[in-house]
């Protein structure tokens, strides 16, 4: 190591937030606001502070921040990393955090309550400033207990009555209604839903909300309140076996709404393997508008709930909670349909 490098490191060790404030000609509070990307910071102030940080080579001590009660780290807990919808949510989180001095740390569970609880406790122990929970499986009362210790925003968790934590969701009931309305508009009336097994059907889950929306849209169209819903096991090989049985049924419907692209894409693959033509024999609408759904060989019509926007809104909501907001917020985003070949109007649609 050269003498100049040693001097530079020694200088950096002495640089504090006060040093940055003095160099920039602003207050310590102003530097703090820029570092946490607080609302209302002017571009001129941001430029001054950023220039001072770069000139001085200032690197904030996360350990010191943690001792003062602020680590500028946000925990993001994911339940199932296989879902292609999740990268968009993470991109939204990182997009909001990028211009700030917050960083995201990601933990991955597998829908087991014990592991999920353990990960949240670890994030609290590491003095993270807040948590974004994506589709948590924990009961609301347990999340509320954690929220006493740390600010929490839950995504994909419909609990509008929660007072201790915030929720940010797509309007999943409305999304399912849009899917049914699109199928009806294409002339289909023999419509079924593919959903997840009962374990995934509790009231706060997106699965349950989409089932409610599906049944409501079917009833409103005069097709009955007990519209058929086929439950799919979450784990292979029973998952694929159930889909094969669905496709080989003599009374198979002419159109199907899948709770997620995750299963809709698998259904398309199995349909091709079994000689079931889409959409000629079976129209399909998924949910999430994942990047895979848009591929030319897939061409899956899907409900877009804008995962990136959900991640952005959740992050801004969490930061405002960290900054002192106390009243709970429950935000619903309106989804939309992205039409593709799996929904093409067919003259042979049953009941058209």
């Amino acid at each position: 190591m050269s003498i100049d490098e040693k001097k530079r490191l020694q200088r950096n060790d002495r640089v504090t937030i006060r040093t940055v404030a003095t160099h920039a000609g602003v207050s310590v509070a102003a530097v703090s606001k820029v570092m946490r990307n607080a609302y209302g910071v002017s571009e001129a102030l941001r430029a001054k502070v950023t220039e001072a940080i770069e000139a001085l080579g200032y690197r904030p001590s996360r350990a010191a921040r943690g001792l003062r009660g602020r680590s500028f780290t946000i925990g993001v807990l994911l339940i199932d990393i296989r879902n292609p919808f999740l990268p968009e949510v993470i991109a939204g989180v990182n997009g909001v955090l990028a211009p700030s001095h917050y960083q995201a740390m990601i933990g991955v569970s597998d829908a087991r309550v014990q592991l999920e609880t353990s990960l949240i406790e670890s994030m609290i122990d590491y003095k993270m400033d807040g948590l974004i929970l994506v589709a948590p499986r924990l009961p609301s009362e347990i999340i509320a207990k954690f929220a006493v210790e740390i600010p929490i925003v839950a995504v994909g968790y419909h609990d509008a009555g929660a007072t201790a934590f915030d929720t940010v969701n797509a309007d999943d009931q409305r999304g399912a209604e849009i899917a049914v309305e699109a199928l009806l508009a294409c002339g289909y009336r023999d419509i079924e839903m593919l959903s997840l097994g009962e374990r995934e059907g509790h009231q706060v889950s997106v699965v349950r909300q989409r089932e409610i929306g599906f049944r409501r849209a079917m009833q409103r169209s005069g097709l009955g309140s007990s519209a058929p819903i086929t439950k799919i096991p979450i784990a292979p090989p029973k998952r694929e076996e159930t889909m094969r049985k669905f496709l080989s049924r003599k009374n198979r419907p002419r159109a199907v709404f899948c709770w997620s692209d995750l299963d809709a894409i698998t259904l398309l693959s199995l349909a091709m393997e079994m000689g079931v033509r889409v959409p000629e024999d079976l129209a399909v609408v998924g949910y999430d508008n994942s990047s895979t759904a848009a591929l030319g060989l897939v061409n899956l019509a899907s409900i877009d709930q804008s995962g990136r926007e959900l991640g952005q809104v959740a992050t801004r909501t969490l930061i405002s909670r960290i900054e002192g907001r106390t009243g709970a917020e429950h935000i619903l985003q309106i989804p939309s349909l992205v039409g593709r070949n799996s929904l093409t109007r067919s003259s042979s649609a049953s009941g058209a």
Side-chain angles (χ1 to χ4, degrees):
M1 181 182 293
S2 69
I3 294 176
D4 288 340
E5 286 175 325
K6 287 182 179 179
K7 287 181 178 179
R8 178 171 58 81
L9 288 175
Q10 290 170 357
R11 182 195 68 187
N12 286 351
D13 288 340
R14 294 194 299 270
V15 173
T16 67
I17 191 171
R18 294 185 181 278
T19 313
V20 173
T22 300
H23 188 279
V26 300
S27 67
V28 171
V31 175
S32 178
K33 284 183 178 180
V34 171
M35 290 177 61
R36 66 177 188 270
N37 197 31
Y39 176 78
V41 173
S42 69
E43 289 304 316
L45 175 59
R46 189 183 306 280
K48 275 186 179 181
V49 173
T50 301
E51 182 180 343
I53 288 172
E54 292 176 352
L56 296 171
Y58 176 54
R59 185 174 182 272
S61 167
R62 293 195 176 275
R65 282 173 166 177
L67 292 172
R68 293 196 301 272
R70 182 71 67 86
S71 67
F72 288 84
T73 305
I74 287 174
V76 181
L77 179 62
L78 309 176
I79 298 302
D80 185 358
I81 197 66
R82 297 170 300 172
N83 194 324
F85 165 71
L86 295 178
E88 286 296 301
V89 177
I90 296 169
V93 172
N94 287 333
V96 172
L97 296 183
S100 74
H101 282 260
Y102 282 101
Q103 289 185 348
M105 300 291 285
I106 297 174
V108 181
S109 180
D110 62 357
R112 284 187 293 139
V113 170
Q114 185 176 0
L115 178 56
E116 191 174 345
T117 300
S118 176
L119 284 170
I120 292 174
E121 289 172 343
S122 295
M123 290 175 172
I124 292 173
D125 290 343
Y126 277 105
K127 299 187 181 298
M128 294 186 180
D129 295 325
L131 302 180
I132 296 175
L133 310 181
V134 184
R137 298 293 189 267
L138 293 176
S140 183
E141 58 269 20
I142 293 180
I143 297 178
K145 287 180 180 179
F146 282 126
V148 173
E149 302 181 60
I150 188 171
I152 290 177
V153 175
V155 179
Y157 193 88
H158 290 268
D159 186 1
T163 58
F165 59 94
D166 305 311
T167 61
V168 174
N169 296 289
D171 188 338
D172 287 293
Q173 291 188 25
R174 180 60 193 143
E177 290 177 339
I178 291 171
V180 173
E181 289 164 5
L183 288 166
L184 291 169
C186 287
Y188 300 102
R189 295 184 65 79
D190 182 11
I191 305 169
E192 196 163 323
M193 178 179 179
L194 290 189
S195 187
L196 284 187
E198 294 297 334
R199 186 170 66 87
E200 305 298 326
H202 52 87
Q203 192 71 27
V204 298
S205 77
V206 299
V207 181
R208 174 65 174 146
Q209 294 294 305
R210 292 168 195 174
E211 288 179 1
I212 292 171
F214 171 74
R215 285 198 170 103
R216 185 164 61 216
M218 293 290 282
Q219 182 177 25
R220 191 166 55 227
S221 65
L223 298 176
S225 59
S226 58
I229 296 178
T230 295
K231 303 284 188 173
I232 303 173
I234 194 169
K238 290 185 178 180
R239 174 173 173 260
E240 290 77 12
E241 289 172 3
T242 302
M243 289 188 190
R244 288 181 184 277
K245 288 180 181 178
F246 170 82
L247 289 169
S248 60
R249 271 171 36 191
K250 290 183 179 180
N251 64 339
R252 185 188 65 225
R254 283 288 293 110
V256 61
F257 163 53
C258 289
W259 79 276
S260 169
D261 287 358
L262 195 63
D263 281 332
I265 291 169
T266 301
L267 186 70
L268 291 181
S269 177
L270 292 173
M272 180 179 294
E273 177 186 317
M274 296 172 65
V276 177
R277 300 171 302 167
V278 176
E280 291 84 359
D281 301 325
L282 180 68
V284 182
V285 177
Y287 204 111
D288 288 337
N289 191 34
S290 61
S291 57
T292 307
L295 294 175
L297 290 176
V298 179
N299 235 317
L300 172 68
S302 186
I303 301 297
D304 184 7
Q305 59 175 328
S306 185
R308 187 178 297 259
E309 187 174 351
L310 286 175
Q312 292 170 348
V313 173
T315 307
R316 295 190 187 103
T317 302
L318 181 62
I319 291 175
S320 73
R321 172 77 81 162
I322 292 169
E323 296 298 327
R325 175 178 53 80
T326 56
E329 291 189 355
H330 300 290
I331 301 169
L332 279 181
Q333 305 279 96
I334 303 300
S336 60
L337 172 74
V338 178
R340 297 192 180 94
N341 287 357
S342 69
L343 183 61
T344 302
R345 179 185 292 275
S346 172
S347 59
S348 62
S350 176

